[in-house]
Every structure is written in C-alpha cells, then in structure tokens.
Amino acid sequence: MSTKTYRYPITAIVGQEKMKQALLLNVVNPKLGGVLIRGEKGTAKSTAVRALADLLTELKVVNLPVGATEDRVVGTLDIEHAIKHGEKKFEPGLLAKADGHILYVDEINLLEDHIVDVLLDAVAMGINTIEREGISYSHSSRFILIGTMNPEEGDLRPQLLDRFALSVEVSGERDARQRVEVIKRRLSYEKDPEAFCQSYGTDQLLLETQIRQARETLKHVQISDDMLSLAARLSIGLDMDSHRADIMMIKTAMTIAAVDGRTEACLEDMKQAAQLVLPHRLRQAPFAAREVSYDRIDLLIDEISVVK
C-alpha cells in the first residue's frame, strides 16, 4: 500500500478567488511580502496554503505552531561545544528551515508577543541572529510569510499586520450550487485521494507552468509614471501616512501583470492590487471604519484617473 500523502489540490478549491490570487502572487514574487488570510474555520484557508507545496518541487511549507518556543523558532547555539572546541555549533530553528520557502502560521493572532517580535525582526532584515552567552550567529531568513486567523479569536498586533503585503477575507460560499460542489469534491477526495488528485493533474501542471512563466515575465514588467502617481494619490486620498502601501500596490500590480503574461501594469492591475493591499492597513487608521468596501477603493481610483 502506498504511503504517499495526497494533499487537496489548490486547483480543486471552489471559489475563494481572492485568496488563491493572493497566494499565487506571493509564489510568483516571493519578495512581495506575504499574505494574511482572515476568515472562519472551514473556509479552506489551511488547505490552500499547504497545497502550494505541491505546485513547485523546490517549494516547501514550514509550519510555525502557535505554542512554539523561542529556541524552536530561532534555533540554538551549543555553548559547551563552542567553549570546548572554539567553534560555533548551530542547531537550526524554523526560521532557518523556512529560508527560501513558506513560513506558515495558523492562528497567527494567538502568537506570543516575544515570538511576534522575532518574526518582525526576521521579516524586516531577512536575517535571523541568535545571541547566547556573548556568542552570536546569524543566517539568512528570507521567506514568504503566510498567516491565517479567525477574527473572532482576536486581532493581530498592528506592527505585524502592516508587514503583510496582502490581506484577504474569506467566508463560506453563499451560492447553493457552489456549496454543493464543495461537498461533492470533498467527499470524492476522502473516498479516493489518489484518484481525486490525479484528476486535477492537468490543472496543477498548467498552474505550475503559469507560475514559472510569470516569474520570468516579472523581470521585464514596466510601470508608467501615471500608475506611480495613481498609487501615491490613492494613499493620500485614503489618509495613509506610511509609504509601504504605495510600494506594495506597485509591486503587486506589476506581479498581477506578469501572471497575466503582460510586461506593463495597467489600471485594472492597480485596482486589483489596491483591493489586496489597502483594506487591512486602513483598519488601523485612527477613527477609521472597521471595514473598507472594494467599491469605495474602485471609485476613488476612477476619480483619480479622470482628474489627473
């Protein structure tokens, strides 16, 4: 009997288009800045993240459990070995294992504050440094940070929230036919995982090819001064102080263009990028409404585009 584990294919997930788009963009452009997925349990958040590893052989998903100790996350130094032999002996932690891959944190809003601080340092610097008894060791720690959470269980610290390039809200399907399809596919998968996954083999291969082609196209994507001005004016119009949102919008729009096989980002790319980049940042503004509609963002973009 085969012992191979067959994960639910990402191409088999019904609906949740914004979530799948946000994940795809980060795989195409690992420098983008990660994605936060917010929604109730049972909305395919974890399924989608873990399914990414099946698309590209060089990609793996490293899980950071909510209850992980700091040593497990950052790694440890063998002080006794260093004293006896005069050399550093490093036992890698999760940040080392995630280098060049995906670091996935389920229920990320429940992380201990000292672990959040470690994550913030690694995300900001791309380097993890361990210091013990006057001995220090540093290593590369560049990863795609993906967090999932149920908003009903508490909020995320603003400092960490702002570090996510993209954020999406997911919920259960409201269309009866879509919900029926969710049930059918899940039952089919549970009955025979191997056959189910094989039935999506072509779709998976097409998506892998699209990702690899988009990575190459991204190297050549250009963006006009008009689009740069649009990003700046949109952030000003929404009373955002940080320049991070502007930069993330531009990088995301360029990645969207690459996924679509184009070498120049357009207005529609900017609209899609703004919907992924802005909402979770606007919630943190003082006295701002808790929810920002996509229609409001689109309307402001249209107004800015007409009045240059």
Side-chain angles (χ1 to χ4, degrees):
M1 179 181 290
S2 174
T3 58
K4 181 178 178 180
T5 299
Y6 292 92
R7 296 186 187 88
Y8 198 91
I10 194 169
T11 54
I13 294 174
V14 177
Q16 311 295 11
E17 298 305 325
K18 281 192 178 296
M19 174 178 69
K20 290 186 286 189
Q21 181 189 32
L23 292 171
L24 174 62
L25 293 174
N26 273 276
V27 173
V28 169
N29 185 359
K31 296 180 180 178
L32 200 54
V35 57
L36 176 66
I37 306 171
R38 297 149 65 111
E40 296 179 356
K41 293 180 180 179
T43 48
K45 301 188 300 296
S46 297
T47 298
V49 176
R50 294 190 175 100
L52 289 175
D54 289 335
L55 282 175
L56 302 167
T57 56
E58 69 273 19
L59 189 66
K60 68 178 180 180
V61 177
V62 176
N63 290 286
L64 194 166
V66 169
T69 63
E70 185 171 342
D71 281 350
R72 185 180 177 190
V73 175
V74 304
T76 58
L77 283 171
D78 188 334
I79 303 300
E80 185 177 351
H81 180 89
I83 293 173
K84 286 184 178 179
H85 302 281
E87 60 183 14
K88 300 174 185 178
K89 184 179 181 182
F90 173 63
E91 293 294 334
L94 296 176
L95 292 181
K97 295 176 181 178
D99 189 32
H101 301 287
I102 290 172
L103 183 65
Y104 172 49
V105 190
D106 189 19
E107 298 183 320
I108 190 169
N109 52 320
L110 303 182
L111 276 180
E112 297 287 344
D113 283 348
H114 65 283
I115 301 297
V116 171
D117 291 337
V118 167
L119 272 183
L120 286 171
D121 288 342
V123 169
M125 305 299 295
I127 295 173
N128 176 46
T129 299
I130 307 107
E131 295 184 353
R132 298 288 186 274
E133 306 294 334
I135 300 174
S136 66
Y137 179 86
S138 298
H139 66 82
S140 173
S141 185
R142 301 182 184 277
F143 47 81
I144 301 170
L145 178 62
I146 300 179
T148 53
M149 59 176 281
N150 182 349
E152 294 180 354
E153 297 175 348
D155 281 328
L156 199 62
R157 275 177 53 182
Q159 298 95 325
L160 183 55
L161 181 63
D162 188 51
R163 282 293 172 180
F164 283 100
L166 313 180
S167 176
V168 294
E169 303 276 348
V170 295
S171 59
E173 291 293 336
R174 293 292 177 245
D175 180 85
R177 288 173 295 181
Q178 290 283 81
R179 290 183 81 102
V180 168
E181 187 62 25
V182 171
I183 297 168
K184 284 183 176 180
R185 293 187 187 185
R186 190 68 202 185
L187 292 177
S188 178
Y189 169 74
E190 291 179 358
K191 181 179 180 180
D192 191 339
E194 182 177 2
F196 182 83
C197 291
Q198 288 178 349
S199 69
Y200 284 89
T202 299
D203 292 340
Q204 292 284 102
L205 182 60
L206 288 173
L207 184 55
E208 178 188 350
T209 301
Q210 183 183 18
I211 290 170
R212 295 192 185 280
Q213 290 177 343
R215 285 178 170 179
E216 290 301 311
T217 303
L218 183 59
K219 300 174 184 177
H220 308 287
V221 174
Q222 303 293 320
I223 192 151
S224 67
D225 287 344
D226 283 345
M227 294 299 102
L228 296 176
S229 177
L230 173 60
R233 296 175 68 183
L234 181 58
S235 290
I236 293 171
L238 293 171
D239 296 321
M240 305 192 73
D241 292 327
S242 171
H243 295 288
R244 185 173 286 126
D246 312 41
I247 296 169
M248 288 299 103
M249 271 191 287
I250 295 301
K251 291 171 67 175
T252 302
M254 294 173 72
T255 309
I256 290 171
V259 169
D260 199 38
R262 292 176 285 106
T263 55
E264 184 169 1
C266 64
L267 181 61
E268 180 58 33
D269 300 329
M270 289 295 296
K271 284 185 176 182
Q272 291 185 42
Q275 291 181 359
L276 293 169
V277 170
L278 295 178
H280 65 294
R281 291 183 167 84
L282 293 176
R283 290 194 189 97
Q284 302 306 305
F287 311 115
R290 287 295 296 176
E291 297 295 335
V292 179
S293 72
Y294 295 142
D295 289 341
R296 179 188 168 196
I297 292 174
D298 284 350
L299 181 61
L300 185 53
I301 290 176
D302 289 338
E303 291 175 353
I304 293 172
S305 299
V306 171
V307 184
K308 293 183 180 179

